[in-house]
């Protein structure tokens, strides 16, 4: 049931947050010489006007498909890591989260590659005149594999690993610290709002800790769209980005990312918590204790994606 709840919660998070993610990617990879968008809200307006509201959901099939595998990996690795580490401490939560983040990159990297390519498809074009290179996320990955093999499908793996490992560590650590400090009583009428607040703020903390790496990852994964490559490596991408746009390049799309982080985690936690309380009316609330050791609830309510 925990696994199913996590999948449903993750799906809710994708539906709520994917439009913000599309805006983030467009802002991160747009040309500095001929920018299409002036900022977050202008990007939202432009996509809806030119590509309809469905343009905001381009590439959503990829994260939806990957949810099952990512949830299985994150929940399994984090739970096993905590059992092996033994004591439920903030540092162990960080280590278990980092391990889960690192291992799920095997699924996360190809999934985000397809998502990024789909999100960039038809940028700035009217919906009626837009030529589709990829039919869907699976077709996108299949075409990349045909042209570039496994190396192409795993483009951006190193940057994904650098982002996800500390990112999940910070997430689990922040969530653990917040839930401990807020307290959680079985009879507390504000239990769910507290969990939602902790999850949302933990998501924000995680993104802030790794956002510069995410910018480079997006640029590397979007590189090659249209057959033109700009970057030969991570360092080359970083150097060229800083030379052309300065250090502010690492904040491109940050506003939409932070706007997305809280509602995504709120939607995920609400779905997971309500589902568990519905299917386990006698067990769900009992798992929430005021004592420091509240691992059962945490493992149940933990979102599967940042």
């Amino acid at each position: 049931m925990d696994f199913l709840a996590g999948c449903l919660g993750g799906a809710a998070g994708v539906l709520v947050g994917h439009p913000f993610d599309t805006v983030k990617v467009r802002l991160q990879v747009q040309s500095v010489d001929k920018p299409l968008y002036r900022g977050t809200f202008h990007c939202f307006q432009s996509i809806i006007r030119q590509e309809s509201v469905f343009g905001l959901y381009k590439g959503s099939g990829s994260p939806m498909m990957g949810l099952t595998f990512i949830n299985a990996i994150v929940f399994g690795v984090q739970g096993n890591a905590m059992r092996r580490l033994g004591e439920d401490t903030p540092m162990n939560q960080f280590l278990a989260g980092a391990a889960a983040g690192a291992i799920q990159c095997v699924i996360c990297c190809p999934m985000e590659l397809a998502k990024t390519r789909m999100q960039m498809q038809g940028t700035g074009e009217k919906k009626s005149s837009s030529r589709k290179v990829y039919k869907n996320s699976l077709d996108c990955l299949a075409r990349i594999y045909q042209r570039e093999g496994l190396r192409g499908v795993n483009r951006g793996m190193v940057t994904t690993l650098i982002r996800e490992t500390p990112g999940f560590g910070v997430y689990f650590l922040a969530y653990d610290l917040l839930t401990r400090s807020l307290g959680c009583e079985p009879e507390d009428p504000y239990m769910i709002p507290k969990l939602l607040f902790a999850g949302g703020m933990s998501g924000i903390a995680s993104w802030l800790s790794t956002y510069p790496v995410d910018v480079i990852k997006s640029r590397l994964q979007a590189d090659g769209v249209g057959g033109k490559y700009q970057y030969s490596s991570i360092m080359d991408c970083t150097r060229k980005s800083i030379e052309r746009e300065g250090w502010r390049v690492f904040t491109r799309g940050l506003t939409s990312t932070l706007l997305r982080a809280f509602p995504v985690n709120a939607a995920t936690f609400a779905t997971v918590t309500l589902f568990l309380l519905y299917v386990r009316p006698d067990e769900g609330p009992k798992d929430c204790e005021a004592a420091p050791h509240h691992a059962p609830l945490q493992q149940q309510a933990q979102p599967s994606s940042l």
Side-chain angles (χ1 to χ4, degrees):
M1 286 300 175
D2 297 341
F3 173 73
L4 180 57
C7 290
L8 292 174
V14 171
L15 291 174
V16 171
H18 194 78
F20 293 97
D21 188 71
T22 299
V23 171
K24 179 204 74 169
V25 171
R26 293 281 182 97
L27 290 173
Q28 284 179 335
V29 304
Q30 73 172 343
S31 171
V32 66
D33 299 321
K34 297 179 181 179
L36 292 173
Y37 314 113
R38 295 191 298 270
T40 300
F41 296 106
H42 180 249
C43 186
F44 263 111
Q45 293 172 345
S46 298
I47 293 174
I48 293 174
R49 185 173 63 253
Q50 296 169 350
E51 306 168 45
S52 83
V53 69
F54 296 107
L56 293 170
Y57 283 92
K58 284 183 175 180
S60 60
S62 180
M64 281 291 187
M65 287 189 298
L67 276 174
T68 302
F69 300 103
I70 287 178
N71 273 280
I73 293 171
V74 170
F75 276 87
V77 172
Q78 198 270 346
N80 282 314
M82 284 302 297
R83 281 190 288 272
R84 286 184 175 275
L85 290 169
E87 192 177 358
D88 180 14
T89 64
M91 181 52 67
N92 284 349
Q93 290 288 345
F94 176 87
L95 294 174
I103 294 176
Q104 60 91 41
C105 286
V106 177
I107 304 297
C108 179
C109 180
M111 180 192 79
E112 292 206 354
L113 174 65
K115 174 184 71 67
T116 300
R117 296 290 177 93
M118 291 291 292
Q119 286 172 326
M120 294 303 299
Q121 185 168 251
T123 300
E125 298 179 4
K126 294 288 184 181
K127 186 180 179 183
S128 58
S129 62
S130 178
R131 293 181 296 104
K132 288 189 176 182
V133 180
Y134 311 115
K135 298 176 183 177
N136 50 51
S137 298
L138 280 177
D139 179 61
C140 178
L141 288 176
R143 287 174 178 267
I144 294 173
Y145 178 77
Q146 288 174 356
R147 292 196 308 266
E148 306 172 51
L150 281 176
R151 185 175 181 179
V153 172
N154 288 296
R155 176 180 292 273
M157 178 63 78
V158 175
T159 46
T160 302
L161 188 65
I162 296 172
R163 184 195 69 177
E164 295 291 89
T165 302
F168 267 89
V170 169
Y171 183 89
F172 277 82
L173 171 64
Y175 178 71
D176 184 69
L177 293 175
L178 283 169
T179 50
R180 289 174 190 269
S181 62
L182 289 172
C184 186
E185 301 282 355
E187 65 276 6
D188 187 355
Y190 301 107
M191 180 187 73
I192 293 177
K194 286 179 179 179
L195 292 176
L196 297 178
F197 177 77
M201 294 306 296
S202 299
I204 289 175
S206 178
W207 273 112
L208 287 174
S209 69
T210 60
Y211 194 76
V213 181
D214 185 67
V215 174
I216 300 301
K217 181 200 73 69
S218 294
R219 293 193 168 202
L220 287 172
Q221 291 188 325
D223 194 32
V225 174
K228 185 179 179 182
Y229 291 90
Q230 301 182 62
Y231 313 115
S232 59
S233 65
I234 297 172
M235 291 306 297
D236 182 55
C237 179
T238 304
R239 180 178 57 80
K240 288 181 178 178
S241 297
I242 294 174
E243 285 178 354
R244 298 186 65 186
E245 303 168 58
W247 291 98
R248 291 187 63 183
V249 66
F250 296 120
T251 63
R252 279 186 176 271
L254 182 59
T255 301
S256 61
T257 299
L258 297 183
L259 287 173
R260 166 182 176 261
F262 199 96
V264 162
N265 284 279
T268 302
F269 268 86
T271 304
V272 170
T273 305
L274 293 175
F275 178 81
L276 288 175
L277 290 176
Y278 177 76
V279 299
R280 293 178 175 176
D282 298 326
E283 297 180 29
K286 294 180 181 178
D287 286 334
C288 186
E289 300 176 358
H293 298 283
H294 53 276
L297 176 66
Q298 180 162 329
Q299 291 174 6
Q300 290 173 358
Q302 199 62 249
S304 61
S305 173
L306 298 181

